[in-house]
């Protein structure tokens, strides 16, 4: 199998990017219990059950150092989700990132919520409670959940960002 690692030579380098699935805010606009708060908790739990740690952005530097790489440089960014940032460059990053989130959330979540969280989907309860309990959802419930996410993504009063 050919990988970037097998093509590195002494003095060579590669760049890797990892992103957090958890949305945060510095101004309190991402509130405890909000759809963004639920998104982060549900995503992390689903990743854990799937066997994929969705916290890799916090660990990647250590993994690379442990693997023997030297001069590992980690640069942490806060990418806004939406055009709310005051800085013109970050505003543009936020607009592109908003598109990334709007277009990506269904693909990121559908299989994890409908297949991985394998408690019977015949249990009838509010979506918020299912999110809290991390129970498997039906396709329609996921679409309703994503509708709430998309609504929140459009809200200019929410100053969400994620770590990259």
């Amino acid at each position: 199998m050919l990988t970037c690692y097998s093509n590195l030579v002494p003095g060579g380098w590669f760049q890797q990017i990892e992103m957090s699935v958890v949305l945060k805010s510095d101004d309190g606009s991402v509130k405890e219990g909000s759809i963004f708060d639920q998104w982060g908790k549900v995503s992390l739990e689903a990743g854990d059950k799937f066997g994929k740690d969705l916290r890799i952005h916090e660990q990647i530097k250590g993994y690379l150092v442990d693997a023997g790489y030297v001069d590992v440089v980690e640069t942490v960014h806060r990418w806004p989700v939406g055009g709310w940032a005051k800085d013109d460059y970050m505003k543009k990053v936020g607009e592109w990132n908003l598109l990334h989130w709007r277009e990506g959330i269904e693909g990121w979540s559908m299989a994890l919520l409908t297949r991985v969280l394998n408690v019977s989907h015949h249990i009838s309860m509010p979506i918020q409670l299912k999110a809290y309990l991390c129970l498997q959802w039906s396709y329609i419930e996921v679409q309703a959940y994503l509708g709430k996410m998309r609504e929140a993504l459009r809200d200019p009063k929410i100053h969400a960002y994620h770590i990259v």
Side-chain angles (χ1 to χ4, degrees):
M1 178 166 81
L2 193 59
T3 68
C4 70
Y5 310 110
S6 62
N7 289 298
L8 286 177
V9 297
W13 62 274
F14 75 97
Q15 184 173 355
Q16 181 166 334
I17 187 168
E18 299 293 344
M19 295 184 236
S20 173
V21 298
V22 176
L23 293 171
K24 301 177 179 186
S25 69
D26 290 337
D27 64 1
S29 58
V30 175
K31 297 180 182 352
E32 180 76 27
S34 70
I35 191 69
F36 285 166
D37 181 57
Q38 290 176 29
W39 170 269
K41 290 174 181 173
V42 169
S43 297
L44 292 175
E45 178 70 19
D48 290 345
K49 288 190 178 192
F50 184 56
K52 301 293 181 190
D53 188 349
L54 299 182
R55 296 167 195 84
I56 191 74
H57 69 287
E58 298 170 351
Q59 303 155 348
I60 190 64
K61 182 178 180 179
Y63 290 159
L64 292 171
V65 170
D66 290 348
Y69 290 93
V70 295
D71 300 325
V72 177
V73 176
E74 179 180 50
T75 306
V76 178
H77 300 277
R78 292 177 171 198
W79 279 7
V81 180
W84 55 265
K86 292 179 182 172
D87 176 78
D88 287 339
Y89 177 76
M90 292 309 290
K91 184 182 292 287
K92 187 58 73 178
V93 168
E95 290 168 353
W96 281 106
N97 198 26
L98 175 61
L99 179 64
H100 173 245
W101 275 80
R102 282 196 333 234
E103 296 296 319
I105 58 176
E106 185 170 341
W108 303 336
S109 58
M110 188 60 72
L112 288 174
L113 294 176
T114 61
R115 292 185 217 149
V116 173
L117 298 177
N118 57 10
V119 176
S120 173
H121 67 277
H122 299 292
I123 298 172
S124 178
M125 63 182 65
I127 289 174
Q128 290 82 3
L129 184 56
K130 273 195 180 190
Y132 179 75
L133 296 174
C134 296
L135 302 179
Q136 181 180 1
W137 300 358
S138 71
Y139 173 83
I140 292 170
E141 288 169 325
V142 173
Q143 290 300 333
Y145 178 66
L146 297 179
K148 291 177 188 274
M149 277 292 291
R150 289 184 181 105
E151 183 180 327
L153 287 168
R154 286 190 303 269
D155 187 341
K157 295 177 190 159
I158 301 176
H159 301 148
Y161 66 87
H162 64 109
I163 302 297
V164 177

